[in-house]
Amino acid sequence: MSDNHQAAARLLREAYSGGAVPPLREYLDPVDIAGAYAVQDINTRFWQEQGRRIVGRKAGLTATAVQKQLGVDQPDFGALFDDMQVADGGFLDPARCLQPKAEAEIAFVLGADLLSPDATADDVAAAVSGVHAAIEIVDSRIADWKITFSDTVADNGSSAFFVLAGEGRGLEGADLYTAGMVMEVNGTIASVGVGAAALGHPLNAAAWLARTLAARGASLRAGDIVLAGALGPMVALNPGDHVLARVGGIGACSFTYSKE
């Protein structure tokens, strides 16, 4: 790890409490994939040493349009920690966020390990124990969301919090490809999408994640939560907002962006 990587990691950690920071141009080239993941790894280990526990992973940039916007041709990933989960129907204190946005997703809970660097969508399907509607609350530590690929990767995939539907279902008979998504904010439709938006199919996104982690010497394990990527546009949050996401044939989940 270089001094630049350590400095960028420290800057991002301090942003959680000190406020958003400028883009990391001084430390990372905008398309330095290896360097960006090196920074993410530094902070992942730091947070684990502080007692935070990894409960899964998120896939990001799974929509082709978003990849083109950032000038990249691949998704990214970040770690999900235990303290990032917001209860279905629960509350998220705005004091814990900087500039959050919500996006609706399909999530998998794994019943078996995925260890192969050649994992396929069929392998993921065989490992899935449950499918859930989910909401990811993304939140960049980079000021005004002026991110490059390196910025968001270094910043743990711009992750912050997530909501997992309290009730899931089995994969058998679920049509994740055409599953329609509607996300409402305060009872008004704010985002719509479909399962195919996540890298062509949510199982494709999870398989990409399994392969990428395995190639890096990590893995998805039984019990892990996998967020498979946004199904529609993300929506900026304002204090007091109530967010409800419905995914056809899968379920629904919600949270309120306010103190309990």
Side-chain angles (χ1 to χ4, degrees):
M1 302 295 177
S2 73
D3 290 344
N4 273 355
H5 296 157
Q6 294 287 352
R10 183 169 57 252
L11 199 66
L12 289 170
R13 290 199 305 272
E14 292 172 350
Y16 281 82
S17 57
V21 299
L24 304 173
R25 309 287 191 276
E26 182 180 344
Y27 309 99
L28 285 172
D29 184 275
V31 292
D32 181 0
I33 298 172
Y37 278 116
V39 173
Q40 185 186 130
D41 289 345
I42 291 168
N43 279 342
T44 298
R45 288 194 299 272
F46 175 88
W47 293 125
Q48 287 179 297
E49 290 166 1
Q50 299 300 306
R52 299 178 74 187
R53 182 172 57 87
I54 292 177
V55 295
R57 306 277 180 167
K58 61 151 290 183
L61 304 181
T62 52
T64 302
V66 179
Q67 290 180 15
K68 288 181 179 178
Q69 185 179 18
L70 290 180
V72 298
D73 60 359
Q74 62 180 296
D76 70 348
F77 70 83
L80 300 177
F81 292 99
D82 53 345
D83 57 0
M84 292 169 61
Q85 185 163 1
V86 177
D88 186 8
F91 295 82
L92 174 59
D93 186 350
R96 301 179 68 190
C97 301
L98 296 175
Q99 43 189 352
K101 301 181 181 187
E103 52 190 32
E105 308 195 9
I106 286 173
F108 302 112
V109 176
L110 299 182
D113 297 345
L114 283 167
L115 308 178
S116 173
D118 301 313
T120 65
D122 287 342
D123 294 330
V124 175
V128 167
S129 64
V131 185
H132 297 249
I135 301 168
E136 183 181 4
I137 299 93
V138 292
D139 191 3
S140 182
R141 268 60 63 175
I142 304 299
D144 301 319
W145 278 94
K146 291 182 177 177
I147 57 173
T148 65
F149 186 72
S150 289
D151 289 321
T152 190
V153 168
D155 191 20
N156 197 32
S158 301
S159 63
F161 300 95
F162 66 94
V163 182
L164 192 69
E167 293 186 10
R169 57 156 293 165
L171 192 56
E172 185 177 356
D175 182 0
L176 304 187
Y177 181 76
T178 64
M181 177 280 293
V182 177
M183 187 169 71
E184 300 174 5
V185 178
N186 304 324
T188 299
I189 295 173
S191 180
V192 296
V194 67
L199 218 58
H201 195 291
L203 288 172
N204 291 345
W208 172 87
L209 182 57
R211 292 193 300 270
T212 302
L213 286 170
R216 294 176 57 85
S219 59
L220 292 172
R221 298 284 184 172
D224 277 355
I225 298 164
V226 176
L227 298 182
L231 305 185
M234 55 188 178
V235 177
L237 294 174
N238 296 298
D241 282 347
H242 177 72
V243 182
L244 169 66
R246 304 179 192 273
V247 182
I250 307 300
C253 61
S254 68
F255 77 101
T256 302
Y257 183 53
S258 72
K259 292 186 68 172
E260 189 169 353

